Amino acid sequence: QTRRVRGVPGGVINKQGQPVVEVLLVKMEGSSHYLFPQGFLAPSESSRHAHQRVVLDLCYDFSNQTRLAQKPIIAAIDPIFSQYKEISSSYMDDHVNTDNAWMEVSAATVHDNQNIMSSEFKHGSGVEEVVWFVVTERPDLHPNMAALLRKTLSMLKSFNPYTTAEELLQETESELSG
């Protein structure tokens, strides 16, 4: 989940000439690191539906809400998830396991262009905190997640704290020559 950081009404905040985004992060109980909302794919469930279900359950405790309370949440989330885009499908090391295990991962990004996703979070089971992290610096993430965030920020053409000074110089030179 990402969205542009807004300053003055309608204005996007920039850093080094690039728009700044916020990324949705969760901290699980007993953990010292933030994570992207993540979970498992149920049998015969699409990746998009699984991603939406996980965000709803972790960030809004959706399964424990009444049908009446669920309706406005769904009304806000459904249009955002129409922007669903898979950014990676690969094997990554399992940061929870200590036996060098690998797991198959499908990562996606959903960008909230209108900033309509509510920040009134109700933590789901096992969740200590849910935050919109303003990406003007590197969040304390597992290296796998940092790589996915870097890819997402590049795709969105947003400020990217993972980009080195040398990479910025190369990008500027190629823009000037092209």
Side-chain angles (χ1 to χ4, degrees), residues 15-161:
K15 184 169 182 175
Q16 297 177 355
Q18 295 176 302
V20 173
V21 298
E22 294 175 295
V23 62
L24 185 64
L25 298 174
V26 296
K27 184 187 276 187
M28 303 306 287
E29 292 173 354
S31 176
S32 59
H33 298 285
Y34 285 95
L35 307 167
F36 297 123
Q38 56 186 301
F40 293 97
L41 191 65
S44 73
E45 183 178 37
S46 71
S47 293
R48 178 181 182 255
H49 183 266
H51 188 104
Q52 185 170 347
R53 174 183 48 79
V54 166
V55 168
L56 289 169
D57 282 341
L58 294 179
C59 303
Y60 299 101
D61 197 23
F62 193 75
S63 336
N64 292 317
Q65 303 259 1
T66 65
R67 291 265 186 230
L68 187 60
Q70 289 176 343
K71 284 184 180 185
I73 298 169
I74 288 291
I77 295 285
D78 270 348
I80 298 167
F81 273 83
S82 69
Q83 313 272 333
Y84 180 88
K85 181 175 183 175
E86 189 170 293
I87 59 170
S88 178
S89 185
S90 61
Y91 289 94
M92 294 185 171
D93 62 314
D94 184 350
H95 63 279
V96 176
N97 245 324
T98 57
D99 63 357
N100 296 319
W102 292 82
M103 60 184 172
E104 189 172 355
V105 174
S106 176
T109 183
V110 179
H111 186 72
D112 179 1
N113 289 318
Q114 304 299 316
N115 285 27
I116 57 177
M117 189 170 163
S118 173
S119 295
E120 296 175 24
F121 301 116
K122 183 176 181 184
H123 309 158
S125 178
V127 176
E128 181 180 313
E129 186 178 10
V130 180
V131 297
W132 281 108
F133 181 86
V134 178
V135 187
T136 54
E137 60 188 51
R138 295 178 182 187
D140 184 20
L141 294 172
H142 184 275
N144 286 344
M145 295 193 184
L148 293 172
L149 179 57
R150 179 181 177 154
K151 185 173 185 173
T152 300
L153 295 171
S154 294
M155 185 182 72
L156 293 171
K157 295 179 177 30
S158 297
F159 173 73
N160 192 337

